């Protein structure tokens, strides 16, 4: 699906208007020690455009209320949440009542793992991968308490891609759910999730996709994927700190959530517990508005919000691809540097613009600190991709240095980062 969309003729859309993009994000204008700040920490959380900040402030100033009340601000809140749900429905290509809001991806995943766990028992199996973030691992592994057997699929150490053969061999007639990441938040590998969904379905198992890392980089289409669940976090794609779950209507209706009695039995609200973060939900709508405007600027001919989101992704993809090429060529030329993940330009369509490296003679923390002093915001450690760092035996060595690019980064920033790394390693 993704590949088809990416390979379709772009023609009518223009390049990303980077000057406009950067003008939307006030945080990008900051400096550190007199140097312009370079935000390479997108995989940990992206910056937000003005309109998201304004939407959050405006909600608190004018409509701050709980839901379901018989007065104007409460009614406005109900309407605003419905609009945000519809916007996320367009972002993921599903109906609004299949969208569940929650504090973050981890919490939503525990909600679904507990509910699915109610139906499972001794001898049932769940298939996970060693490439995944722990938030798509531990919530499922917790079901071992009920006698559920956890089977884990390996990855190829040479390029950090999922071992699809191993994964297929782990899925069988006892499999009740397969959980897989759309893209790795460490090594940047994009997994063939359509094939994983197909394998799960063939075995009569449910599929659960963690699209947290993929969402800022590629189009998500839950209908085309035909997955059962997909989860993402808006703070990774230019929105506020919240999580969003897509669940197929039939599953959201059938599964039994743990919830308080006065809460409704209707979907999707029965999956949303307590009072939600309304101001941030207002920010989600503004975030999708940003995507829409980006797309309409890239291709003024688009005539729906969904089409505009696809156009935005197309423009983003081309810009990120150019940065990937420059970044990898530059990283591989640094003496003593080891890149983990796909480095072959022929296979760049299977990776996103997230890079992890180790450099001889420097711990990841030392590198991140020295870069931080120069205004480059990177990460060190395991970023909760714990199975990956353990398997690659870098956990005891401080993990990796992670450099993450999103569409508001520039080729000039890539060049400056490479220059700074060369200077640091001497
Ligand atoms: C791939 C991936 N999955 C899951 C998570 C957890 O997301 P959240 O912080 O919304 O719980 C993250 C966070 O970094 C992530 O990168």
């Amino acid at each position: 699906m993704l590949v088809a969309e990416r390979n379709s003729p772009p023609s009518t859309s223009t390049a990303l208007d980077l000057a406009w993009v950067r003008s939307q994000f006030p945080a990008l204008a900051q400096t550190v020690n007199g140097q312009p700040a370079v935000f390479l920490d997108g995989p940990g959380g992206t910056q937000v455009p003005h309109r998201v900040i304004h939407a959050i402030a405006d909600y608190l100033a004018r409509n701050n209320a709980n839901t379901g009340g018989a007065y104007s601000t409460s009614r406005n809140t109900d309407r605003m949440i419905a609009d945000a749900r519809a916007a996320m429905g367009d972002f993921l290509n599903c109906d609004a009542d299949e969208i569940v809001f929650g504090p973050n991806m981890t919490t939503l995943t525990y909600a679904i793992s507990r509910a699915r766990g109610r139906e499972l028992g001794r001898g049932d199996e769940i298939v996970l991968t060693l490439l995944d973030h722990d938030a798509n691992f531990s919530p499922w592994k917790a079901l071992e308490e009920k006698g559920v057997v956890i089977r884990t699929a390996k990855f190829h150490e040479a390029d950090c891609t999922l071992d699809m053969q191993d994964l297929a061999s782990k899925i069988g007639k006892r499999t009740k759910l397969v959980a897989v990441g759309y893209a790795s938040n460490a090594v940047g590998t994009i997994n063939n999730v359509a094939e994983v969904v197909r394998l799960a379905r063939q075995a009569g198992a449910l599929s659960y996709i963690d699209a947290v890392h993929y969402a800022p980089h590629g189009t998500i289409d839950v209908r085309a994927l035909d997955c059962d669940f997909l989860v993402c976090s808006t703070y990774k794609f230019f929105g506020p700190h919240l999580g969003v779950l897509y669940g197929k209507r039939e599953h959201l209706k059938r599964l039994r959530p743990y919830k308080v009695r006065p809460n409704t039995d209707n979907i999707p609200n029965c999956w949303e517990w307590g009072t939600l973060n309304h101001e941030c939900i207002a920010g989600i709508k503004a975030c999708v508005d940003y995507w829409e405007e980006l797309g309409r600027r890239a291709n003024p001919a688009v005539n729906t919000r969904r089409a505009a989101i696809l156009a935005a992704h197309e423009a983003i993809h081309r810009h990120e691809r150019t940065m990937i090429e420059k970044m990898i060529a530059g990283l591989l030329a640094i003496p003593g540097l080891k890149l983990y993940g796909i480095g072959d330009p022929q296979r760049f369509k299977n990776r996103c613009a997230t890079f992890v490296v180790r450099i001889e003679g420097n711990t990841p923390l030392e590198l991140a600190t020295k870069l931080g002093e120069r205004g480059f915001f990177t990460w060190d450690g395991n970023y909760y991709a714990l199975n990956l760092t353990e398997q690659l035996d870098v956990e005891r060595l401080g993990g990796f240095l992670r450099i993450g690019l999103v569409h508001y980064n520039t080729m000039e920033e890539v060049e400056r980062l490479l220059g700074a790394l060369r200077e640091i390693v001497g």
Side-chain angles (χ1 to χ4, degrees), residues 43 104-107 133 135 183 185 210 212-213 233 235-236 383:
N104 49 54
M105 176 276 185
T106 307
T107 310
H133 187 286
N185 68 314
D210 170 4
V212 171
H213 189 68
S233 303
Y235 73 96
K236 309 281 191 181
Y383 344 105

Side-chain angles (χ1 to χ4, degrees), residues 328-340:
I328 291 204
L331 288 173
L332 293 179
I334 294 175
L337 181 144
K338 180 165 161 61
L339 172 83
Y340 294 78

Side-chain angles (χ1 to χ4, degrees), residues 54-361:
H54 290 158
I56 292 171
D58 189 60
Y59 173 79
L60 289 171
R62 301 191 317 132
N63 284 314
N64 192 8
N66 218 320
T67 51
Y71 55 98
S72 66
T73 53
S74 180
R75 287 192 177 123
N76 291 345
T77 297
D78 289 337
R79 230 182 340 261
M80 178 280 287
I81 294 175
D83 287 349
R85 239 186 258 289
M88 274 312 300
D90 280 351
F91 194 80
L92 300 178
N93 201 24
C94 63
D95 292 334
D97 68 345
E98 295 173 305
I99 292 288
V100 176
F101 292 124
N104 49 54
M105 176 276 185
T106 307
T107 310
L108 287 166
T109 302
Y110 271 108
I112 299 297
S113 77
R114 271 190 235 125
R116 180 65 171 147
R118 282 178 140 176
E119 304 179 326
L120 303 184
R122 197 154 294 286
D124 288 330
E125 296 183 0
I126 289 183
V127 177
L128 309 176
T129 94
L130 295 180
L131 203 55
D132 269 70
H133 187 286
D134 213 62
N136 205 23
F137 193 88
S138 288
W140 305 111
K141 192 163 164 56
L143 299 179
E144 282 179 330
E145 284 170 4
K146 301 200 66 197
V148 172
V149 175
I150 300 298
R151 310 199 69 194
T152 50
K154 296 187 232 160
F155 61 90
H156 301 288
E157 289 191 11
D159 58 4
C160 298
T161 56
L162 212 49
D163 183 337
M164 291 298 283
Q165 239 178 330
D166 186 53
L167 182 104
S169 77
K170 301 275 160 70
I171 300 174
K173 48 181 192 302
R174 288 165 183 258
T175 310
K176 298 297 178 211
L177 183 134
V178 181
V180 66
Y182 212 138
S184 160
N185 68 314
V187 288
T189 312
I190 298 171
N191 295 318
N192 186 351
V193 286
E195 176 60 6
V196 179
V197 171
R198 195 190 66 75
L199 290 168
R201 167 130 313 108
Q202 204 175 42
L206 301 185
S207 51
Y208 190 93
I209 311 296
D210 170 4
V212 171
H213 189 68
Y214 186 69
H217 302 293
T219 310
I220 299 172
D221 186 335
V222 293
R223 289 268 181 274
L225 270 181
D226 200 24
C227 56
D228 295 296
F229 296 95
L230 181 140
V231 69
C232 57
S233 303
T234 47
Y235 73 96
K236 309 281 191 181
F237 55 93
F238 322 111
H241 287 97
L242 277 185
V244 176
L245 172 90
Y246 155 77
K248 255 190 191 166
R249 189 176 294 108
E250 64 188 88
H251 302 312
L252 292 182
K253 278 191 167 162
R254 183 183 52 80
L255 288 170
R256 284 188 305 130
Y258 286 83
K259 67 172 191 63
V260 295
R261 288 172 303 163
N263 192 354
T264 175
D265 288 326
N266 296 331
I267 67 156
N269 312 72
C270 62
W271 292 96
E272 296 173 337
W273 308 332
T275 303
L276 293 174
N277 187 332
H278 300 159
E279 54 273 29
C280 283
I281 294 177
I284 288 185
K285 166 69 170 54
C287 165
V288 177
D289 287 348
Y290 168 74
W291 278 91
E292 183 177 357
E293 184 168 357
L294 191 65
R296 289 189 189 280
R297 284 173 163 266
N299 183 354
V302 295
N303 54 13
T304 64
R305 180 161 60 189
R306 174 73 184 164
I309 291 165
L310 298 184
H313 269 298
E314 200 180 285
I316 284 177
H317 173 65
R318 271 183 275 145
H319 173 54
E320 289 189 359
R321 176 63 186 253
T322 325
M323 291 195 292
I324 291 175
E325 281 161 17
K326 184 161 208 73
M327 180 70 89
I328 291 204
L331 288 173
L332 293 179
I334 294 175
L337 181 144
K338 180 165 161 61
L339 172 83
Y340 294 78
I342 294 172
D344 173 4
Q346 300 299 318
R347 297 174 57 216
F348 281 173
K349 74 174 191 325
N350 300 123
R351 69 136 50 248
C352 48
T354 305
F355 314 92
V356 291
V357 299
R358 291 187 52 85
I359 304 182
E360 267 168 33

